Every structure is written in structure tokens, then in C-alpha cells.
Amino acid sequence: MTTPRPTTELSADEARRIALRAQGLLGAPDRRSGVRGVLRHLGAVQLDTISVLARSHELIPYARLGAVGRGTVENAYWKDTHAFEYWSHAACILPIEEWPHFAFRRRAYRGRPHWGHDLPDGVYDQVIKQLTTEGPLTATELGGAKKTADWWDWSGSKVAVERALMYGEVVCVERRGWKRVYDLAERAVPAALLHDGLDDTECLRRLVGLAGQSLGVGTRADIADYHRLKAEQVDAVIADSGLVPVTVQGWSKPAWADPVALATPPRGRHRTTLLSPFDSLIWERARTERIFGFTHRLEAYVPRQKRVHGYFAMPVLAGGRLVGRVDPAREGRTLVAKQVTLDGPKAVPAVAQALVEAASWVDCTDVRVERVDTPGLREPLTRALNEPAG
């Protein structure tokens, strides 16, 4: 691929601020459009089973809007068909308007062999028939989600309905106690959107353009990672995606930017908040290190004795920088900071503010600090937590 010579050069600081604004973390929050606006703005909100303070899909709008009600978050995603679940960066909630643009992935799933889960004869048709006659159902209601207690030992009906979801014949219309509730796509997706009429090139061009808008500025790897596209898929369409080539000081790879993001200097108030490790601002680790000089790894699946920062360490964003980490837990109405890592004394007020706000959001009345990686900062952090808000 021949990349046009960039006409815009950005400093590393400009690129960082463009990225923050594109992710809804710089400038006044758009409370009028609310959670649905956040979803449309980001293009994808990742789902995950881990729930410490709250589940990741709740933490992401919280980081941008503040203490939005958790019921409000769920209704915004699931009520009146504004979103659907599908495979994007990972398992994600996506704006319903983008259903046609995932046709390329549905076609790919239909055309590939499946591994790991055998599908007994007749079960797929039986699941579709049951959904047709009975309406939205969980995998348990369809005949049982698992054959044994093992996480991946799925029943035949679970294999069938998940395959139907990948094919686009079935969608998840809500989460009930974290279980997917499935229904036929023809009932759940608006008729004007329910088609696979766009060819792969049209789909990819749209998703590359959306990724660039959501990132503000990014390398090819950044853009590909956003919806988990292949490098060659990005290369095939990026020239026609609407993104423009730029150079960023200190970045070793070529970059592309959203021209709208370049048109207005990013200014405004920075959000101070705890971030889910699955937040799209930081979900690509190489990009996080390049932009923020911050190396982060989710350690939930690392053996306890090998963890450095904790089970679900949440980066702390303040002043447009990542200034520390908190590994949280809850005990009754106490938010417990099991482990806190601070980027020096200047980070103390921001980390305290982020903890107090998060505690209030999840209906905790106090915060307890168990361990601070720099012991000398424990007392200043405790003091800051107990100072009245002002």
C-alpha cells in the first residue's frame, strides 16, 4: 500500500488530547444524549463477566458522564432496540445502526468451519423453532446452557444459539442476570437495517472510518485493533475511509486522523475517573504505552502470587494523564482500595477524588485503603479521602 505524504504533523501532546476528546474524556460531557450518545460516539462498548465495582459496560459511560444510574445504563443499551451484541473488538455492545456493516463478519462466520463445540443434528433448527414460537429465551430456557459445570462444556442448544448469533439469525436482546436473552433478528432488528446487502469493502470502509473517528488519531495497528480487523483489510480501504495521513512526533509508525478532529484544537475540562481495563481508551496496550507512557496489563487471569498491581487494577485518569492504579473491592458499603499505585505525590488528590466519586456511584459510604505501593503516600491519600469535598 502506498501511503500519501502527510500534510499535518502533530506533537505527541496534541495526539494525546485528540485521542482523549475522541473518546469523550476531554470537554463537557454530552449528558443530553447520555449513555446512548456514548455508545454511538465510541462505536463499541466491550462486555466482560468480571464485576468488582460494576461491570465494564457500566463503567465506560460512568467514566464519561459521571454517576449515571446503573438502571439507566441498562435501559439505554437494551430498551427499544438501540443496540445489539456482536463480535467487534471482543464481545461488544454496538449501535444498532451499524448492524449492516457487520455483514462481512457474519458472512465469514457462516463460511468457516467451527471448532471446539459439536452441533448435534437437528438442534439448530429446533432452537430457531423454539424462539419463533416462544419468543425471547435464555440458553437455559432453550434446553440448558452447559452439560457440566465446566465453563466451555456447552449443551447442544447453547452451541446452536451461539452459532445462530454469529450468523446473524439470532440476536441478544438483553442481559438477564448476565445471561444472554436471545430472539430472532427479524423481530429485534429494525426492518430497514436487517440486511446483508453491503459488500465486504463497504463494511470495512465504514468500520475503518468509525475506528478513526473513535480514536481521533491512530496507527494502522490501532485502527485495525478497534474492531479486530486484519491489517490487509485496513490497507484495502483506508485511502477511501475519509481519514487523513498524519505524522505524530515520537511515533515510529505512520498514522491517520479524523479530519474533523484536526479541524478544532481539543480543549476543555479533563475527566478524573477510574477506568475499566476494558475501556476503549486503553484497551490496546501498545497504544496506551505510546500515548500515555503507561504500561498496563489486566492481571485477573494471572496467578495471585505473580500479580503486580492486583486482580482488577483500574487506571486512574486525571488531567489527561494516567496517574495511578487502584485495585478495588467492595465489603458491604465500603469501597476497599486493596492496592493503590501512585505516580508520585501529585497524583494523591486525583486518586482520592476518583475513589470518592466511584464509592458514591456504587452506593458505598466510605473508602478504606489497604496497601499503597509507595508507603510514604498512604497517609496523604488517607487524609485526602477524608477531606470534605470543596
PDB file of all heavy atoms in Angstrom, residues 323-350:
ATOM      1  N   VAL A 323      -2.414   8.486  36.041  1.00  0.00           N
ATOM      2  CA  VAL A 323      -1.589   8.908  37.183  1.00  0.00           C
ATOM      3  C   VAL A 323      -1.490   7.848  38.275  1.00  0.00           C
ATOM      4  O   VAL A 323      -0.881   8.103  39.312  1.00  0.00           O
ATOM      5  CB  VAL A 323      -2.127  10.228  37.785  1.00  0.00           C
ATOM      6  CG1 VAL A 323      -2.110  11.329  36.743  1.00  0.00           C
ATOM      7  CG2 VAL A 323      -3.528  10.041  38.371  1.00  0.00           C
ATOM      8  N   GLY A 324      -2.089   6.691  38.054  1.00  0.00           N
ATOM      9  CA  GLY A 324      -2.007   5.659  39.073  1.00  0.00           C
ATOM     10  C   GLY A 324      -2.931   4.507  38.752  1.00  0.00           C
ATOM     11  O   GLY A 324      -3.544   4.453  37.677  1.00  0.00           O
ATOM     12  N   ARG A 325      -3.024   3.583  39.709  1.00  0.00           N
ATOM     13  CA  ARG A 325      -3.892   2.409  39.574  1.00  0.00           C
ATOM     14  C   ARG A 325      -4.532   2.125  40.925  1.00  0.00           C
ATOM     15  O   ARG A 325      -3.914   2.335  41.974  1.00  0.00           O
ATOM     16  CB  ARG A 325      -3.104   1.162  39.158  1.00  0.00           C
ATOM     17  CG  ARG A 325      -2.404   1.227  37.822  1.00  0.00           C
ATOM     18  CD  ARG A 325      -1.543  -0.023  37.656  1.00  0.00           C
ATOM     19  NE  ARG A 325      -0.902  -0.096  36.357  1.00  0.00           N
ATOM     20  CZ  ARG A 325       0.256   0.458  36.055  1.00  0.00           C
ATOM     21  NH1 ARG A 325       0.893   1.175  36.974  1.00  0.00           N
ATOM     22  NH2 ARG A 325       0.795   0.313  34.862  1.00  0.00           N
ATOM     23  N   VAL A 326      -5.746   1.602  40.869  1.00  0.00           N
ATOM     24  CA  VAL A 326      -6.435   1.151  42.078  1.00  0.00           C
ATOM     25  C   VAL A 326      -6.999  -0.235  41.804  1.00  0.00           C
ATOM     26  O   VAL A 326      -7.681  -0.448  40.792  1.00  0.00           O
ATOM     27  CB  VAL A 326      -7.581   2.108  42.460  1.00  0.00           C
ATOM     28  CG1 VAL A 326      -8.396   1.524  43.616  1.00  0.00           C
ATOM     29  CG2 VAL A 326      -7.037   3.487  42.821  1.00  0.00           C
ATOM     30  N   ASP A 327      -6.726  -1.174  42.688  1.00  0.00           N
ATOM     31  CA  ASP A 327      -7.358  -2.493  42.624  1.00  0.00           C
ATOM     32  C   ASP A 327      -8.481  -2.500  43.650  1.00  0.00           C
ATOM     33  O   ASP A 327      -8.235  -2.593  44.855  1.00  0.00           O
ATOM     34  CB  ASP A 327      -6.335  -3.586  42.941  1.00  0.00           C
ATOM     35  CG  ASP A 327      -6.932  -4.986  42.800  1.00  0.00           C
ATOM     36  OD1 ASP A 327      -7.804  -5.166  41.924  1.00  0.00           O
ATOM     37  OD2 ASP A 327      -6.535  -5.887  43.564  1.00  0.00           O
ATOM     38  N   PRO A 328      -9.747  -2.367  43.203  1.00  0.00           N
ATOM     39  CA  PRO A 328     -10.845  -2.164  44.149  1.00  0.00           C
ATOM     40  C   PRO A 328     -11.554  -3.457  44.532  1.00  0.00           C
ATOM     41  O   PRO A 328     -11.466  -4.492  43.860  1.00  0.00           O
ATOM     42  CB  PRO A 328     -11.788  -1.267  43.353  1.00  0.00           C
ATOM     43  CG  PRO A 328     -11.620  -1.763  41.938  1.00  0.00           C
ATOM     44  CD  PRO A 328     -10.195  -2.244  41.811  1.00  0.00           C
ATOM     45  N   ALA A 329     -12.295  -3.362  45.610  1.00  0.00           N
ATOM     46  CA  ALA A 329     -13.215  -4.412  46.035  1.00  0.00           C
ATOM     47  C   ALA A 329     -14.311  -3.720  46.836  1.00  0.00           C
ATOM     48  O   ALA A 329     -14.216  -2.531  47.158  1.00  0.00           O
ATOM     49  CB  ALA A 329     -12.508  -5.465  46.874  1.00  0.00           C
ATOM     50  N   ARG A 330     -15.357  -4.481  47.168  1.00  0.00           N
ATOM     51  CA  ARG A 330     -16.432  -3.943  47.996  1.00  0.00           C
ATOM     52  C   ARG A 330     -16.691  -4.874  49.160  1.00  0.00           C
ATOM     53  O   ARG A 330     -16.760  -6.085  49.001  1.00  0.00           O
ATOM     54  CB  ARG A 330     -17.710  -3.777  47.168  1.00  0.00           C
ATOM     55  CG  ARG A 330     -17.609  -2.694  46.111  1.00  0.00           C
ATOM     56  CD  ARG A 330     -18.815  -2.689  45.198  1.00  0.00           C
ATOM     57  NE  ARG A 330     -20.033  -2.294  45.898  1.00  0.00           N
ATOM     58  CZ  ARG A 330     -21.227  -2.255  45.328  1.00  0.00           C
ATOM     59  NH1 ARG A 330     -21.372  -2.605  44.066  1.00  0.00           N
ATOM     60  NH2 ARG A 330     -22.277  -1.884  46.014  1.00  0.00           N
ATOM     61  N   GLU A 331     -16.831  -4.295  50.323  1.00  0.00           N
ATOM     62  CA  GLU A 331     -17.227  -5.032  51.529  1.00  0.00           C
ATOM     63  C   GLU A 331     -18.411  -4.290  52.126  1.00  0.00           C
ATOM     64  O   GLU A 331     -18.242  -3.234  52.739  1.00  0.00           O
ATOM     65  CB  GLU A 331     -16.077  -5.117  52.530  1.00  0.00           C
ATOM     66  CG  GLU A 331     -14.908  -5.972  52.060  1.00  0.00           C
ATOM     67  CD  GLU A 331     -13.792  -6.036  53.085  1.00  0.00           C
ATOM     68  OE1 GLU A 331     -13.977  -5.488  54.210  1.00  0.00           O
ATOM     69  OE2 GLU A 331     -12.740  -6.618  52.776  1.00  0.00           O
ATOM     70  N   GLY A 332     -19.608  -4.821  51.900  1.00  0.00           N
ATOM     71  CA  GLY A 332     -20.797  -4.105  52.346  1.00  0.00           C
ATOM     72  C   GLY A 332     -20.872  -2.767  51.650  1.00  0.00           C
ATOM     73  O   GLY A 332     -20.852  -2.696  50.422  1.00  0.00           O
ATOM     74  N   ARG A 333     -20.898  -1.701  52.439  1.00  0.00           N
ATOM     75  CA  ARG A 333     -20.973  -0.354  51.864  1.00  0.00           C
ATOM     76  C   ARG A 333     -19.634   0.370  51.950  1.00  0.00           C
ATOM     77  O   ARG A 333     -19.572   1.603  51.958  1.00  0.00           O
ATOM     78  CB  ARG A 333     -22.082   0.442  52.544  1.00  0.00           C
ATOM     79  CG  ARG A 333     -23.469  -0.172  52.335  1.00  0.00           C
ATOM     80  CD  ARG A 333     -24.570   0.749  52.773  1.00  0.00           C
ATOM     81  NE  ARG A 333     -24.660   1.928  51.905  1.00  0.00           N
ATOM     82  CZ  ARG A 333     -25.472   2.958  52.146  1.00  0.00           C
ATOM     83  NH1 ARG A 333     -26.246   2.947  53.229  1.00  0.00           N
ATOM     84  NH2 ARG A 333     -25.508   3.983  51.324  1.00  0.00           N
ATOM     85  N   THR A 334     -18.567  -0.418  51.977  1.00  0.00           N
ATOM     86  CA  THR A 334     -17.217   0.140  51.967  1.00  0.00           C
ATOM     87  C   THR A 334     -16.528  -0.221  50.661  1.00  0.00           C
ATOM     88  O   THR A 334     -16.500  -1.388  50.263  1.00  0.00           O
ATOM     89  CB  THR A 334     -16.376  -0.400  53.145  1.00  0.00           C
ATOM     90  OG1 THR A 334     -16.978   0.004  54.381  1.00  0.00           O
ATOM     91  CG2 THR A 334     -14.948   0.122  53.095  1.00  0.00           C
ATOM     92  N   LEU A 335     -16.007   0.792  49.980  1.00  0.00           N
ATOM     93  CA  LEU A 335     -15.148   0.543  48.833  1.00  0.00           C
ATOM     94  C   LEU A 335     -13.741   0.341  49.370  1.00  0.00           C
ATOM     95  O   LEU A 335     -13.196   1.212  50.057  1.00  0.00           O
ATOM     96  CB  LEU A 335     -15.184   1.721  47.854  1.00  0.00           C
ATOM     97  CG  LEU A 335     -14.541   1.512  46.478  1.00  0.00           C
ATOM     98  CD1 LEU A 335     -15.075   2.538  45.474  1.00  0.00           C
ATOM     99  CD2 LEU A 335     -13.028   1.624  46.519  1.00  0.00           C
ATOM    100  N   VAL A 336     -13.166  -0.800  49.065  1.00  0.00           N
ATOM    101  CA  VAL A 336     -11.836  -1.144  49.556  1.00  0.00           C
ATOM    102  C   VAL A 336     -10.823  -0.967  48.426  1.00  0.00           C
ATOM    103  O   VAL A 336     -10.949  -1.594  47.368  1.00  0.00           O
ATOM    104  CB  VAL A 336     -11.784  -2.588  50.077  1.00  0.00           C
ATOM    105  CG1 VAL A 336     -10.395  -2.908  50.632  1.00  0.00           C
ATOM    106  CG2 VAL A 336     -12.856  -2.811  51.143  1.00  0.00           C
ATOM    107  N   ALA A 337      -9.849  -0.104  48.656  1.00  0.00           N
ATOM    108  CA  ALA A 337      -8.729   0.021  47.724  1.00  0.00           C
ATOM    109  C   ALA A 337      -7.666  -0.968  48.179  1.00  0.00           C
ATOM    110  O   ALA A 337      -6.843  -0.662  49.040  1.00  0.00           O
ATOM    111  CB  ALA A 337      -8.200   1.447  47.711  1.00  0.00           C
ATOM    112  N   LYS A 338      -7.739  -2.168  47.624  1.00  0.00           N
ATOM    113  CA  LYS A 338      -6.849  -3.236  48.091  1.00  0.00           C
ATOM    114  C   LYS A 338      -5.381  -2.912  47.816  1.00  0.00           C
ATOM    115  O   LYS A 338      -4.497  -3.250  48.593  1.00  0.00           O
ATOM    116  CB  LYS A 338      -7.233  -4.548  47.419  1.00  0.00           C
ATOM    117  CG  LYS A 338      -8.628  -5.028  47.781  1.00  0.00           C
ATOM    118  CD  LYS A 338      -9.066  -6.182  46.919  1.00  0.00           C
ATOM    119  CE  LYS A 338      -8.222  -7.417  47.179  1.00  0.00           C
ATOM    120  NZ  LYS A 338      -8.725  -8.559  46.349  1.00  0.00           N
ATOM    121  N   GLN A 339      -5.151  -2.291  46.691  1.00  0.00           N
ATOM    122  CA  GLN A 339      -3.795  -1.903  46.324  1.00  0.00           C
ATOM    123  C   GLN A 339      -3.863  -0.638  45.493  1.00  0.00           C
ATOM    124  O   GLN A 339      -4.656  -0.544  44.557  1.00  0.00           O
ATOM    125  CB  GLN A 339      -3.109  -3.024  45.540  1.00  0.00           C
ATOM    126  CG  GLN A 339      -1.651  -2.751  45.201  1.00  0.00           C
ATOM    127  CD  GLN A 339      -0.960  -3.980  44.622  1.00  0.00           C
ATOM    128  OE1 GLN A 339      -1.355  -5.106  44.900  1.00  0.00           O
ATOM    129  NE2 GLN A 339       0.065  -3.763  43.823  1.00  0.00           N
ATOM    130  N   VAL A 340      -3.039   0.341  45.844  1.00  0.00           N
ATOM    131  CA  VAL A 340      -3.009   1.619  45.130  1.00  0.00           C
ATOM    132  C   VAL A 340      -1.585   1.885  44.666  1.00  0.00           C
ATOM    133  O   VAL A 340      -0.635   1.746  45.439  1.00  0.00           O
ATOM    134  CB  VAL A 340      -3.486   2.783  46.030  1.00  0.00           C
ATOM    135  CG1 VAL A 340      -3.429   4.107  45.275  1.00  0.00           C
ATOM    136  CG2 VAL A 340      -4.899   2.526  46.545  1.00  0.00           C
ATOM    137  N   THR A 341      -1.437   2.248  43.406  1.00  0.00           N
ATOM    138  CA  THR A 341      -0.152   2.660  42.854  1.00  0.00           C
ATOM    139  C   THR A 341      -0.290   4.103  42.421  1.00  0.00           C
ATOM    140  O   THR A 341      -1.213   4.448  41.676  1.00  0.00           O
ATOM    141  CB  THR A 341       0.226   1.798  41.635  1.00  0.00           C
ATOM    142  OG1 THR A 341       0.186   0.420  42.002  1.00  0.00           O
ATOM    143  CG2 THR A 341       1.625   2.138  41.144  1.00  0.00           C
ATOM    144  N   LEU A 342       0.601   4.952  42.893  1.00  0.00           N
ATOM    145  CA  LEU A 342       0.525   6.383  42.625  1.00  0.00           C
ATOM    146  C   LEU A 342       1.756   6.847  41.862  1.00  0.00           C
ATOM    147  O   LEU A 342       2.877   6.429  42.166  1.00  0.00           O
ATOM    148  CB  LEU A 342       0.432   7.162  43.937  1.00  0.00           C
ATOM    149  CG  LEU A 342      -0.832   6.948  44.775  1.00  0.00           C
ATOM    150  CD1 LEU A 342      -0.583   7.339  46.221  1.00  0.00           C
ATOM    151  CD2 LEU A 342      -1.978   7.744  44.202  1.00  0.00           C
ATOM    152  N   ASP A 343       1.531   7.726  40.890  1.00  0.00           N
ATOM    153  CA  ASP A 343       2.635   8.306  40.139  1.00  0.00           C
ATOM    154  C   ASP A 343       3.122   9.562  40.862  1.00  0.00           C
ATOM    155  O   ASP A 343       3.027  10.677  40.352  1.00  0.00           O
ATOM    156  CB  ASP A 343       2.171   8.630  38.715  1.00  0.00           C
ATOM    157  CG  ASP A 343       3.309   9.108  37.824  1.00  0.00           C
ATOM    158  OD1 ASP A 343       4.471   8.873  38.195  1.00  0.00           O
ATOM    159  OD2 ASP A 343       3.027   9.720  36.778  1.00  0.00           O
ATOM    160  N   GLY A 344       3.620   9.366  42.072  1.00  0.00           N
ATOM    161  CA  GLY A 344       4.167  10.465  42.850  1.00  0.00           C
ATOM    162  C   GLY A 344       3.118  11.199  43.672  1.00  0.00           C
ATOM    163  O   GLY A 344       1.910  10.982  43.526  1.00  0.00           O
ATOM    164  N   PRO A 345       3.566  12.110  44.553  1.00  0.00           N
ATOM    165  CA  PRO A 345       2.658  12.831  45.457  1.00  0.00           C
ATOM    166  C   PRO A 345       1.592  13.653  44.736  1.00  0.00           C
ATOM    167  O   PRO A 345       0.483  13.828  45.253  1.00  0.00           O
ATOM    168  CB  PRO A 345       3.607  13.747  46.251  1.00  0.00           C
ATOM    169  CG  PRO A 345       4.948  13.092  46.144  1.00  0.00           C
ATOM    170  CD  PRO A 345       4.983  12.437  44.796  1.00  0.00           C
ATOM    171  N   LYS A 346       1.901  14.159  43.552  1.00  0.00           N
ATOM    172  CA  LYS A 346       0.925  14.992  42.838  1.00  0.00           C
ATOM    173  C   LYS A 346      -0.325  14.211  42.444  1.00  0.00           C
ATOM    174  O   LYS A 346      -1.377  14.798  42.167  1.00  0.00           O
ATOM    175  CB  LYS A 346       1.565  15.600  41.587  1.00  0.00           C
ATOM    176  CG  LYS A 346       2.619  16.665  41.896  1.00  0.00           C
ATOM    177  CD  LYS A 346       3.163  17.271  40.608  1.00  0.00           C
ATOM    178  CE  LYS A 346       4.202  18.350  40.913  1.00  0.00           C
ATOM    179  NZ  LYS A 346       4.762  18.937  39.663  1.00  0.00           N
ATOM    180  N   ALA A 347      -0.219  12.899  42.397  1.00  0.00           N
ATOM    181  CA  ALA A 347      -1.372  12.077  42.000  1.00  0.00           C
ATOM    182  C   ALA A 347      -2.361  11.859  43.134  1.00  0.00           C
ATOM    183  O   ALA A 347      -3.495  11.427  42.891  1.00  0.00           O
ATOM    184  CB  ALA A 347      -0.889  10.720  41.485  1.00  0.00           C
ATOM    185  N   VAL A 348      -1.964  12.154  44.363  1.00  0.00           N
ATOM    186  CA  VAL A 348      -2.796  11.826  45.526  1.00  0.00           C
ATOM    187  C   VAL A 348      -4.188  12.462  45.455  1.00  0.00           C
ATOM    188  O   VAL A 348      -5.203  11.765  45.611  1.00  0.00           O
ATOM    189  CB  VAL A 348      -2.076  12.215  46.835  1.00  0.00           C
ATOM    190  CG1 VAL A 348      -3.041  12.177  48.023  1.00  0.00           C
ATOM    191  CG2 VAL A 348      -0.904  11.274  47.079  1.00  0.00           C
ATOM    192  N   PRO A 349      -4.325  13.780  45.220  1.00  0.00           N
ATOM    193  CA  PRO A 349      -5.677  14.361  45.203  1.00  0.00           C
ATOM    194  C   PRO A 349      -6.571  13.754  44.125  1.00  0.00           C
ATOM    195  O   PRO A 349      -7.772  13.525  44.365  1.00  0.00           O
ATOM    196  CB  PRO A 349      -5.415  15.851  44.931  1.00  0.00           C
ATOM    197  CG  PRO A 349      -4.005  16.086  45.348  1.00  0.00           C
ATOM    198  CD  PRO A 349      -3.280  14.818  45.044  1.00  0.00           C
ATOM    199  N   ALA A 350      -6.020  13.494  42.959  1.00  0.00           N
ATOM    200  CA  ALA A 350      -6.835  12.941  41.872  1.00  0.00           C
ATOM    201  C   ALA A 350      -7.292  11.530  42.190  1.00  0.00           C
ATOM    202  O   ALA A 350      -8.454  11.174  41.949  1.00  0.00           O
ATOM    203  CB  ALA A 350      -6.042  12.953  40.565  1.00  0.00           C
TER     204      ALA A 350
END
